């Protein structure tokens, strides 16, 4: 992922209690999607709502989209000022283009606004997680790490500006002076018909664009705390002394890949694995930061 997005994605996660913008931006996703992260992208490998995974009849989805009337509006490192048209006469400078001038103070500075947000979620994920662990880690597959989309958020319209330089600026104008936005939130109003002019060092520029299912929450299946303890004991008992210096890296990066499959499946699968909410470390992996 381009590093310009990093601040926006991490701040967005914190502000919305765990929602993450899809990447690549506006990639399609749906409730129950299974995915892995490779090369900074979400790679879909299935959906738990398919009968194949054996839990479809247990999944309780909140189908009614519920609008959140508190808009998702966040910004960082950005300022704006309203510019009126100067009269073109003997005493004043030549006419300047009127509009809302936006200035960014650093790479990655951003503004995002979505006035109408709704969501759809799995309400009872933990009711069937035991069965799902069996399916994903033992019976149908032998995944060691995988994500499940548990919530999708949809916006009707949105505005997003992200700077790619320390001197980024943009001027948002309209055909008539009365229609020029006075505030950044005006950019996403239904009737706004302005345009961006004199854009400099802006990596992303969306003004009152049509939205869609653009954000998600996910659960991650990975080695549990108990599972890592099992692996730690296994390594202590089975690795030769020459390999013990690598034990910490094995536990951190590939805890379930060192044990023979016969020692993991199926008797230990629920002790070795568990689900947790996708967190900021996973978001960083999204960006290819490590």
């Amino acid at each position: 992922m381009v590093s310009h997005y990093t601040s926006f994605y991490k701040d967005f996660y914190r502000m919305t209690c765990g929602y993450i913008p899809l990447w690549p931006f506006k990639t399609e996703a749906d409730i129950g999607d299974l995915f892995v992260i490779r090369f900074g992208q979400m790679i879909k490998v299935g959906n738990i709502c398919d009968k194949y995974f054996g839990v479809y009849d247990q999944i309780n989805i909140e189908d009614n989209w519920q609008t959140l009337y508190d808009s998702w509006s966040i910004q960082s490192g950005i300022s704006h000022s309203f510019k009126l048209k100067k009269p073109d006469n003997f005493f004043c400078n030549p006419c300047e283009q009127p509009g809302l001038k936006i200035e960014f103070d650093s790479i990655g500075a951003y503004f995002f606004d979505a006035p109408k947000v709704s969501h759809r979620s799995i309400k009872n994920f933990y009711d069937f997680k035991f069965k799902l662990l069996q399916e994903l880690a033992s019976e149908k597959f032998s995944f060691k790490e995988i994500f499940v989309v548990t919530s999708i958020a949809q916006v009707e319209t949105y505005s997003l500006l992200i700077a790619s330089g320390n001197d980024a600026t943009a001027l948002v104008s309209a055909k008539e002076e009365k229609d020029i936005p006075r505030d950044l939130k005006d950019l996403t109003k239904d009737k706004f018909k302005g345009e961006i002019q004199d854009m400099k060092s802006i990596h992303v520029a969306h003004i009152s664009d049509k939205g869609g299912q653009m954000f998600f929450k996910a659960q991650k299946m990975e080695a549990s705390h108990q599972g890592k303890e099992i692996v730690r004991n296994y390594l202590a008992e089975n690795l030769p002394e020459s390999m013990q210096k690598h034990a910490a890296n094995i536990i951190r990066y590939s805890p379930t890949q060192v044990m023979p499959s016969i020692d993991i499946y199926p008797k230990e699968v629920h002790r070795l694995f568990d689900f947790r909410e996708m967190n900021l470390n996973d978001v960083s992996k999204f960006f290819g930061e490590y």
Side-chain angles (χ1 to χ4, degrees), residues 37-55:
I37 296 175
R38 296 291 185 273
F39 314 112
Q41 294 191 28
M42 298 171 64
I43 309 297
K44 183 177 175 179
V45 296
N47 189 295
I48 65 171
C49 297
D50 192 299
K51 291 184 178 180
Y52 178 73
F53 291 96
V55 296

Side-chain angles (χ1 to χ4, degrees), residues 164-209:
S164 59
N166 293 320
D167 57 347
T169 59
L171 181 71
V172 182
S173 64
K175 290 184 178 180
E176 298 186 29
E177 192 167 289
K178 64 181 180 65
D179 296 325
I180 295 172
R182 265 58 172 177
D183 186 83
L184 291 174
K185 287 190 177 183
D186 288 343
L187 301 180
T188 326
K189 287 186 175 179
D190 294 338
K191 297 181 180 180
F192 177 65
K193 298 180 180 179
E195 59 182 14
I196 298 179
Q197 296 182 341
D198 301 328
M199 190 167 63
K200 177 183 178 184
S201 300
I202 302 295
H203 181 70
V204 174
H206 299 278
I207 298 295
S208 197
D209 277 7

Side-chain angles (χ1 to χ4, degrees), residues 102-202:
I102 307 171
E103 298 177 288
F104 303 77
D105 64 12
S106 61
I107 296 173
Y110 66 85
F111 166 73
F112 174 82
D113 181 60
K116 295 181 181 179
V117 183
S118 53
H119 71 274
R120 184 172 184 245
S121 302
I122 295 176
K123 297 178 64 176
N124 64 329
F125 183 80
Y126 286 94
D127 290 348
F128 57 84
K129 75 161 189 173
F130 189 89
K131 173 63 174 174
L132 187 59
L133 278 175
Q134 285 183 316
E135 298 290 311
L136 295 177
S138 178
E139 295 186 7
K140 296 290 198 309
F141 298 97
S142 57
F143 284 115
K144 307 295 192 303
E145 179 180 297
I146 197 167
F147 297 85
V148 185
V149 174
T150 55
S151 186
I152 290 288
Q154 175 175 288
V155 301
E156 289 188 14
T157 58
Y158 74 102
S159 294
L160 175 63
L161 298 164
I162 299 179
S164 59
N166 293 320
D167 57 347
T169 59
L171 181 71
V172 182
S173 64
K175 290 184 178 180
E176 298 186 29
E177 192 167 289
K178 64 181 180 65
D179 296 325
I180 295 172
R182 265 58 172 177
D183 186 83
L184 291 174
K185 287 190 177 183
D186 288 343
L187 301 180
T188 326
K189 287 186 175 179
D190 294 338
K191 297 181 180 180
F192 177 65
K193 298 180 180 179
E195 59 182 14
I196 298 179
Q197 296 182 341
D198 301 328
M199 190 167 63
K200 177 183 178 184
S201 300
I202 302 295

